[in-house]
Amino acid sequence: MEQFFDPEMLGEATRQAGRLIAAALFSGVIGFERESKDHPAGLRTHMLVGIGACLFTLLMTLLIGRFDSDDVRADPVRVVEAITSGVAFLAAGVIIQARGRVHGLTTGASLWLAGAVGLGAGLGEYLLSFIAVVLTLVVLRVIKAFE
């Protein structure tokens, strides 16, 4: 019980919670845009993808710190690949082909991007994640006007 109230651990937990919250907020912005356009994967789905990617990233950093030694070689790129392919699998489920037309491709791409935003937030790269969200909104809103 004393370990739970260790100030150093409490500070780390607060930082991790901040990263999870940032992932939820950043990916939620993308999800809100999709929701406002009445697309299949909206606010909650995007937030869950961002939070999940962030959590996997946080767990990866903990595992690397815990098991990185001469005997065990940590490879964070593998975790990034696993997050990417897992989110891509989910995003592919949003894409529907009906009567020779493809629907949901942009929403699938935005889910994939929400995973990347969550990964960035999990690494503490808030500015990079924020810029990605802004660019995503530009693509979804501004570029759409030119199509």
Side-chain angles (χ1 to χ4, degrees):
M1 190 70 163
E2 289 176 24
Q3 197 174 25
F4 182 76
F5 293 107
D6 178 21
E8 187 175 310
M9 282 186 63
L10 201 53
E12 179 67 19
T14 302
R15 190 169 73 246
Q16 291 171 340
R19 290 178 180 187
L20 286 163
I21 291 167
L25 293 175
F26 288 157
S27 54
V29 170
I30 299 168
F32 181 77
E33 192 284 333
R34 298 280 80 197
E35 185 100 18
S36 70
K37 299 292 184 187
D38 203 29
H39 290 284
L43 180 66
R44 293 183 305 157
T45 306
H46 281 77
M47 290 177 82
L48 289 172
V49 166
I51 292 167
C54 181
L55 180 60
F56 279 119
T57 304
L58 292 171
L59 292 171
M60 171 193 63
T61 59
L62 289 171
L63 285 172
I64 288 171
R66 198 173 289 167
F67 296 109
D68 196 23
S69 68
D70 290 337
D71 296 334
V72 178
R73 192 169 142 226
D75 188 2
V77 174
R78 285 187 178 176
V79 177
V80 172
E81 289 171 348
I83 293 168
T84 302
S85 60
V87 173
F89 180 79
L90 179 64
V94 175
I95 301 168
I96 301 167
Q97 181 181 4
R99 298 181 186 166
R101 296 190 60 182
V102 176
H103 300 279
L105 196 56
T106 304
T107 301
S110 69
L111 276 172
W112 185 66
L113 192 100
V117 166
L119 189 110
L123 290 171
E125 297 294 335
Y126 301 117
L127 181 60
L128 192 59
S129 295
F130 177 76
I131 291 169
V133 169
V134 170
L135 285 173
T136 301
L137 293 178
V138 167
V139 169
L140 292 175
R141 293 281 174 125
V142 177
I143 304 299
K144 175 74 174 169
F146 293 106
E147 283 187 323

